[in-house]
Amino acid sequence: MKFHVNLVKTVDDSYDIEIGSNLLNNLKEYLTESLQQQKRNIAIITDSNVHTIYGKNFEKIVKEAAIQAAAGENAVKVNTVVFPAGEKSKTRKIKEYIEDKLIEWGYRRDTLIIAHGGGVVTDMAGFVAGTFARGVPFINYATTLLAAADASVGGKTAVDTEAATNLIGLIYQPKKVFIDTATWKTLEQRDVSGGLAETIKHACMADKEFFGYLEENIEKVFDMDSQVCKHIAEKNCEIKYNVVMIDEKEQGLREILNLGHTVGRAIETVSDYTLYHGEAVSIGIMAQIKLGRKFGYCTQDDVNRVESLLEKAKLPVKIPQEIDKEALVKKLYTDKKVRGGKLRFVFQKGIGQMVQFAPGTNAANAVYSNFVSEDTARSIISEL
Ligand code: GLY
């Protein structure tokens, strides 16, 4: 006897991203409408920093939406779970803590999760949403430039382990993303710079004109110039979703979003997260462009322009002295692009394009990673 389980699927995971300054009313409107269509208990997941500054008002707005949607009947439950801010919280232990809170509050399949915070929060809340009761919907309300530039868009969710960052997780798309540039005002300089590292990555990867715009305007982000912040948020989204829409599951093309992350992720871990993600990516961008110069993918002028833009963004371009460079070389092998025990990198081609190594059978599975020997990687790391 043999059964065939026929599960051919057509999935529509499309969603809207709303970008603007102070979007709480938009969130309220969106929630009221969706709760009227379907009642769901709401769990807001946030970190201690965001909660201290914005938590009370945010929960109030969500509760108002719940009451408005109930129209005299019992409003749905709204609770907030808070975990300590920082990359070190992106663990299975914290995920379990959040899940236990949801269970304690009696949440089941009729749950809606709202991630309120930066990249760690959106990665964590998305992962909780993807596995709680075998998957419940979630919304991202992104409060940092890093989340706006990368984490809140594209559906990658995960936690870190000792062995490697983002090793355990899933691709699970949000139902809606809000990117509130007004909340960038309360970010520390290092966090603004961190978000700019992912922004510069996007420009290096896909948009020469945007790179030029950043050269002219990047300092204005530190003054929170609203036009510049808005433009940057929009450009980041556009560049990222144009990749994700073609290759959601990272068959090939999506690997270009990993530009600078091969060395970057390794430095972040070897530094025991004393370097922020964006700071580590900045050094990683320098590693790939210097390697690219060696291989002939870009000129010394390109290297100089990228280095000077990273410096304008107040980002490190050299490996801090206290980092053990040999430990760093070993750590490179935990990168997700490693194949058959060999290191692979993605490279920018000049400024605004990526090097494609093989066309693939469709736009999604084209090959953008190429092998680099350990000795070559070591020689670049020794230069930085
Ligand atoms: N952060 C890289 C990606 O979303 O693929």
Side-chain angles (χ1 to χ4, degrees):
M1 185 78 177
K2 190 162 115 183
F3 291 102
H4 176 64
V5 181
N6 195 341
L7 279 175
V8 176
K9 292 178 195 171
T10 307
V11 180
D12 184 356
D13 272 339
S14 314
Y15 56 92
D16 290 330
I17 304 165
E18 224 170 296
I19 299 171
S21 177
N22 202 345
L23 298 175
L24 286 177
N25 280 335
N26 306 43
L27 171 74
K28 188 172 163 183
E29 217 170 278
Y30 172 83
L31 280 178
T32 308
E33 208 181 301
S34 46
L35 290 174
Q36 275 163 350
Q37 280 165 19
Q38 194 171 35
K39 274 193 166 190
R40 284 187 176 274
N41 293 312
I42 296 177
I44 302 163
I45 299 178
T46 191
D47 72 23
S48 48
N49 286 348
V50 177
H51 186 64
T52 306
I53 309 173
Y54 301 110
K56 224 170 148 185
N57 190 41
F58 193 85
E59 194 182 270
K60 180 175 150 275
I61 295 283
V62 174
K63 281 186 169 158
E64 282 171 8
I67 291 166
Q68 218 161 299
E73 291 177 26
N74 282 345
V76 296
K77 283 192 267 204
V78 177
N79 284 292
T80 302
V81 53
V82 186
F83 64 84
E87 183 78 26
K88 278 199 161 177
S89 281
K90 234 177 89 171
T91 61
R92 282 178 280 180
K93 215 166 157 196
I94 294 286
K95 181 171 182 271
E96 189 181 325
Y97 165 77
I98 296 167
E99 289 158 348
D100 285 348
K101 280 281 170 205
L102 301 192
I103 293 165
E104 185 188 314
W105 291 329
Y107 283 64
R108 293 291 183 269
R109 295 203 72 189
D110 55 347
T111 298
L112 168 67
I113 286 176
I114 307 178
H116 180 214
V120 172
V121 173
T122 58
D123 278 13
M124 173 64 82
F127 192 19
V128 170
T131 54
F132 190 76
R134 298 203 180 100
V136 297
F138 80 108
I139 295 167
N140 283 332
Y141 194 97
T143 59
T144 66
L145 174 51
L146 188 86
D150 189 28
S152 71
V153 177
K156 277 194 179 171
T157 75
V159 293
D160 300 333
T161 62
E162 284 285 313
T165 55
N166 292 328
L167 191 60
I168 301 182
L170 63 138
I171 293 182
Y172 190 64
Q173 299 295 346
K175 293 289 171 211
K176 171 97 182 177
V177 178
F178 294 93
I179 291 175
D180 186 351
T181 56
T183 54
W184 299 0
K185 289 191 179 77
T186 49
L187 293 177
E188 286 174 14
Q189 176 261 308
R190 283 182 76 189
D191 288 310
V192 175
S193 296
L196 288 175
E198 295 286 355
T199 306
I200 294 169
K201 175 197 84 176
H202 282 150
C204 285
M205 204 186 90
D207 198 325
K208 193 172 183 171
E209 205 181 304
F210 183 43
F211 192 92
Y213 175 87
L214 291 174
E215 287 179 317
E216 293 293 311
N217 295 290
I218 207 156
E219 277 125 341
K220 295 184 192 151
V221 179
F222 295 103
D223 304 328
M224 291 295 137
D225 179 308
S226 57
Q227 281 312 311
V228 176
C229 290
K230 187 166 174 279
H231 185 66
I232 281 181
E234 287 170 357
K235 272 302 205 186
N236 275 319
C237 271
E238 183 190 308
I239 292 168
K240 180 152 184 187
Y241 69 59
N242 275 330
V243 173
V244 173
M245 283 193 299
I246 296 171
D247 180 22
E248 184 200 4
K249 304 284 186 209
E250 202 160 303
Q251 297 171 64
L253 176 70
R254 191 166 179 168
E255 282 189 346
I256 68 175
L257 293 172
N258 211 244
L259 186 71
H261 283 60
T262 320
V263 171
R265 278 279 181 204
I267 298 183
E268 188 184 4
T269 333
V270 173
S271 81
D272 197 24
Y273 302 101
T274 53
L275 277 180
Y276 288 2
H277 178 70
E279 294 170 332
V281 166
S282 170
I283 301 167
I285 290 174
M286 284 311 299
Q288 68 77 31
I289 198 166
K290 278 180 171 258
L291 265 178
R293 165 87 182 98
K294 233 182 201 178
F295 296 139
Y297 305 141
C298 53
T299 63
Q300 188 55 43
D301 183 50
D302 297 330
V303 179
N304 297 344
R305 278 180 77 188
V306 169
E307 182 165 16
S308 116
L309 185 56
L310 291 167
E311 282 175 336
K312 267 192 188 174
K314 305 182 190 180
L315 285 158
V317 289
K318 295 248 180 294
I319 298 170
Q321 270 186 345
E322 58 278 16
I323 300 264
D324 175 348
K325 290 189 174 173
E326 208 38 49
L328 181 54
V329 172
K330 294 284 165 289
K331 202 73 193 171
L332 293 178
Y333 286 93
T334 63
D335 184 64
K336 64 182 175 184
K337 298 187 298 308
V338 166
R339 292 289 179 278
K342 295 206 167 81
L343 302 174
R344 294 192 313 149
F345 280 66
V346 290
F347 297 98
Q348 67 186 86
K349 184 173 168 191
I351 288 173
Q353 283 185 66
M354 292 295 288
V355 182
Q356 191 191 81
F357 293 99
T361 53
N362 57 51
N365 66 16
V367 180
Y368 286 88
S369 290
N370 206 14
F371 293 103
V372 171
S373 74
E374 183 177 309
D375 281 349
T376 310
R378 182 179 285 107
S379 79
I380 283 300
I381 284 172
S382 72
E383 276 179 35
L384 283 168

